[in-house]
Amino acid sequence: MTTNLKITLAIVVAAVIGLGGLLAWTSKGPSPAAPGGQPSATAPADVLVRPDSHRLSTAADGKVTVVEFLDFECEACKAMFPVIERLRAEYGDRVTFVVRYFPLPGHPNSGTAALAVEAAAQQGALEPMYRKMYETQDQWSHQQTSQAEKFIGYARELGLDIQRFQQTVNDPATVDRVKRDMNDGATLGVEGTPTLFLNGQQLPSMPSYEQLKAQIDAALAR
C-alpha cells in the first residue's frame, strides 16, 4: 500500500469512527452496549431496510425479515454469528436476513472492517468477507494499529480485484454507505451491537437460537 493510500485510508476510517462516537454515545468502552427491552413501536420499514441494504438471504413472500445492526470487532456479534448462520441454514429462503453496519467507537478497527466488507460487497463478495471477519476476529480485533493491510490480504485470498478493492475503500461514497447504516441505526434507537429487529420489532439483547427460532416460527405462522 502506498503512503498516500495509507494516509487516505486513515482519514476515511477516522471519519467513520468519529461519526460512530456521535451516534453510539451510550456505549461503554470496548464492550458492546446491549439495547434494553423490546419497544412497543414498530420501526419504520423504510429506515430499517433500505433498497441497497445487504441481504444474506431473501424470502420471496417477504413475510419475515430479520435485521441485524452489527460491528465486526464486537465479541457479542461474533457470538451471534453462528446463531444467525444456523437459522439461515434452517429456514433457507423462507426468511430474509439483512445486515447493517454499526461500528462502535471503542473498537479501533471496526470502521476499517466495515469499509473492507463494503468494498468486497461491491465485487459480489459480501458474504465471504462477512464470514472472514468473524472467523478471523481473534487475529485482528482490539489492535491499536490499523489492520487495513490484513483486510487487503483477505480480499486477495477471496480472489478480489485488489486495485478496485483499495479504490472502493478510499472512495468517499463507501464511507457514506457505512454512515447511512449508522444514521439509520441511531434513528431506530440502536445503542450497541448486535441489535436485532424481527418484522420491525426490536428484540431483547442477545437472543438465543431457541428464542429467535420461536419468534420466527410465530411470525411465519401468522
Side-chain angles (χ1 to χ4, degrees):
M1 184 185 288
T2 66
T3 300
N4 287 340
L5 183 57
K6 289 180 180 178
I7 292 172
T8 304
L9 181 57
I11 293 171
V12 166
V13 172
V16 172
I17 295 300
L19 182 65
L22 293 175
L23 298 183
W25 59 86
T26 60
S27 65
K28 299 177 181 179
S31 298
Q38 184 173 338
S40 58
T42 300
D46 60 343
V47 176
L48 188 60
V49 181
R50 300 286 186 180
D52 65 346
S53 293
H54 293 306
R55 294 157 175 81
L56 296 174
S57 59
T58 303
D61 60 10
K63 190 172 184 179
V64 179
T65 298
V66 176
V67 180
E68 179 184 4
F69 283 83
L70 55 79
D71 174 340
F72 292 106
E73 196 166 357
C74 164
E75 295 94 334
C77 291
K78 180 181 178 180
M80 183 58 62
F81 168 65
V83 173
I84 296 297
E85 291 299 285
R86 183 178 175 184
L87 291 167
R88 286 181 59 207
E90 182 170 348
Y91 289 97
D93 60 2
R94 291 187 292 155
V95 176
T96 298
F97 286 91
V98 179
V99 292
R100 305 201 64 182
Y101 306 116
F102 203 79
L104 296 172
H107 296 158
N109 278 283
S110 58
T112 317
L115 293 173
V117 172
E118 181 58 27
Q122 296 304 313
Q123 294 191 46
L126 167 73
E127 188 168 346
M129 187 65 89
Y130 157 87
R131 289 176 177 272
K132 191 75 170 176
M133 287 298 178
Y134 285 133
E135 290 168 354
T136 64
Q137 189 190 82
D138 292 344
Q139 301 173 22
W140 59 266
S141 65
H142 302 302
Q143 302 294 320
Q144 294 306 311
T145 56
S146 172
Q147 298 296 295
E149 291 285 356
K150 187 177 291 291
F151 299 155
I152 290 172
Y154 295 163
R156 188 171 286 111
E157 289 175 18
L158 295 176
L160 303 185
D161 180 324
I162 298 303
Q163 181 177 359
R164 181 183 169 193
F165 178 83
Q166 291 176 310
Q167 289 173 342
T168 305
V169 165
N170 284 279
D171 189 341
T174 309
V175 180
D176 289 342
R177 174 67 181 74
V178 174
K179 285 182 179 179
R180 284 197 299 275
D181 275 10
M182 295 169 70
N183 279 326
D184 285 346
T187 298
L188 296 167
V190 174
E191 297 177 348
T193 56
T195 295
L196 292 97
F197 294 81
L198 193 154
N199 285 356
Q201 291 291 322
Q202 185 175 333
L203 301 178
S205 60
M206 289 300 294
S208 66
Y209 163 78
E210 290 77 15
Q211 290 170 327
L212 263 175
K213 177 176 170 54
Q215 293 264 13
I216 291 172
D217 287 342
L220 286 170
R222 293 190 187 108

